[in-house]
Amino acid sequence: MSLKVLIVDDSALMRRQLKQMLERAGDIVSEVARDGQDALVRLEAFDPDVITLDINMPVMDGLACLSHIMAESPRPVIMVSSLTEKGALATFEALELGAFDYVNKPGGTVSLNLRDVEQELQQKVRAAANQRQSMATKVQKRRLHDAKVTRQPRQSLRSRVGSRYKLVVVGVSTGGPSTLESILRELPAGFPVPIVVAQHMPAHFTKPFAERLDRQCALKVTEVRGPALLEPGHVYIARGDADARIVKRAGNIRMISIPASDTHLWHPSISRLVTSAREVYQDRELICVQLTGMGDDGAAEMASAHQHGALTIAESEASAVVFGMPRALIEQQGAGMVLESEKIAAQLVEWASR
């Protein structure tokens, strides 16, 4: 059976290109809408499995349209956004509203090289379609949970007791920004272990993403471009379109940004980050968390670390937007615990307090 996709974009050129890209997959049929208002009219009659939604449109923009969709007829929506800081901020707002994921227009608002993301778009449409049945339940559950979560107050770390664990490594991809935000918002400023994060994301997105998290969380959140000394109470976001390593220099442990490796498919690479952490710390000093995402980046490395003493968590299928990465960790016997995202922060606090 073919997947049905509604393409929403105010540019006739973009609509035509997106339609051609999707239908070249062979198992996708599509219709188009010229703005958010037009999309809502076509939604009921066409009943798409997935919607691709531009952000900047006249009459009704993408964020307003997304709000209506999630309130009235929840289904997976993939935002098609420009590679700018403004586009990134709007995309994060869309993810908070319930969008499944995003794809970037590599050439800007009207992209002439959209074919560069054809495979990515097709893959995300298929992944999104698989989530349609559980979409409404997951969106409602996340909203109820987030409504109960309050930002932990920032406070001094100096009086806090240290932990037997030295580092938390988090891997996350598709569906990850809102999941990561909900977890970090529950951690107190006195959290005694540094947290490093590899979130698959473009370079233009990681800086505004880190700034957004810093505003929302009690922990200090920064994007890592130059060497960053790892400190308790801090979260370090690996720079997009690059990789990151944990290194020990002159007796100090830092996170550094390095060029992306051609031998890894996803960036920032979770595999490279975990491997480097294991070179600096003993496995029994590490906590590894594998959140929502496609593929298996980091699963083998986290599983090996777990088998040698690291504590590990895989996000459960019940909450994961895409269960691929957590499933890979579980299948490789690497998940010490399998938890819904809503329970992960409390578990981290309990472990780190030891």
Side-chain angles (χ1 to χ4, degrees), residues 251-268:
N252 294 316
I253 299 176
R254 304 175 187 274
M255 180 174 174
I256 62 172
S257 183
I258 58 177
S261 166
D262 292 338
T263 61
H264 294 80
L265 293 176
W266 302 280
H267 305 286

Side-chain angles (χ1 to χ4, degrees), residues 57-73:
M57 296 180 292
V59 185
M60 179 185 289
D61 67 21
L63 293 178
C65 180
L66 177 63
S67 297
H68 282 286
I69 293 168
M70 290 303 162
E72 299 162 12
S73 184

Side-chain angles (χ1 to χ4, degrees), residues 45-298:
F46 184 48
D47 190 28
D49 299 298
V50 180
I51 299 169
T52 71
L53 186 58
D54 189 18
I55 292 177
N56 298 309
M57 296 180 292
V59 185
M60 179 185 289
D61 67 21
L63 293 178
C65 180
L66 177 63
S67 297
H68 282 286
I69 293 168
M70 290 303 162
E72 299 162 12
S73 184
R75 67 196 65 215
V77 176
I78 296 174
M79 307 305 294
V80 182
S81 60
S82 59
L83 271 171
T84 64
E85 184 168 326
K86 184 177 180 181
L89 293 172
T91 300
F92 296 137
E93 186 174 346
L95 293 171
E96 187 174 334
L97 288 170
F100 173 80
D101 204 352
Y102 61 90
V103 171
N104 293 297
K105 293 179 178 178
T109 303
V110 178
S111 180
L112 300 179
N113 53 340
L114 200 58
R115 288 286 298 273
D116 292 350
V117 297
E118 180 170 329
Q119 185 177 11
E120 178 188 1
L121 179 62
Q122 292 173 356
Q123 288 176 341
K124 288 187 175 180
V125 162
R126 291 194 182 96
N130 291 332
Q131 296 295 314
R132 183 178 178 187
Q133 295 301 317
S134 60
M135 187 77 187
T137 300
K138 287 183 177 180
V139 168
Q140 181 64 18
K141 188 172 183 179
R142 172 62 59 78
R143 285 177 175 170
L144 289 173
H145 173 72
D146 288 351
K148 297 176 182 178
V149 175
T150 58
R151 177 185 178 276
Q152 298 293 319
R154 284 193 168 160
Q155 58 194 73
S156 172
L157 297 173
R158 298 186 185 280
S159 63
R160 293 289 176 165
V161 177
S163 171
R164 61 181 285 189
Y165 299 101
K166 304 305 180 186
L167 188 69
V168 176
V169 184
V170 179
V172 57
S173 185
T174 307
S178 57
T179 300
L180 185 63
E181 180 177 323
S182 68
I183 292 170
L184 295 181
R185 282 176 58 201
E186 293 189 67
L187 296 178
F191 190 77
V193 185
I195 300 171
V196 296
V197 178
Q199 159 78 66
H200 297 159
M201 191 173 277
H204 287 78
F205 275 47
T206 44
K207 184 174 185 289
F209 181 47
E211 291 172 348
R212 173 185 172 84
L213 290 174
D214 188 56
R215 291 191 297 270
Q216 297 291 326
C217 303
L219 300 172
K220 178 64 179 175
V221 185
T222 55
E223 181 207 38
V224 173
R225 290 181 175 257
L229 184 66
L230 297 184
E231 298 181 281
H234 287 65
V235 180
Y236 303 88
I237 306 295
R239 179 174 172 266
D241 291 336
D243 289 337
R245 285 183 56 82
I246 307 301
V247 298
K248 188 171 185 178
R249 294 177 177 172
N252 294 316
I253 299 176
R254 304 175 187 274
M255 180 174 174
I256 62 172
S257 183
I258 58 177
S261 166
D262 292 338
T263 61
H264 294 80
L265 293 176
W266 302 280
H267 305 286
S269 168
I270 303 166
S271 294
R272 292 188 82 183
L273 182 59
V274 175
T275 297
S276 69
R278 298 182 69 198
E279 293 170 352
V280 173
Y281 297 102
Q282 297 181 52
D283 288 315
R284 59 184 174 83
E285 295 177 316
L286 297 176
I287 299 173
C288 299
V289 183
Q290 189 79 310
L291 300 177
T292 173
M294 291 189 287
D296 61 357
D297 187 19

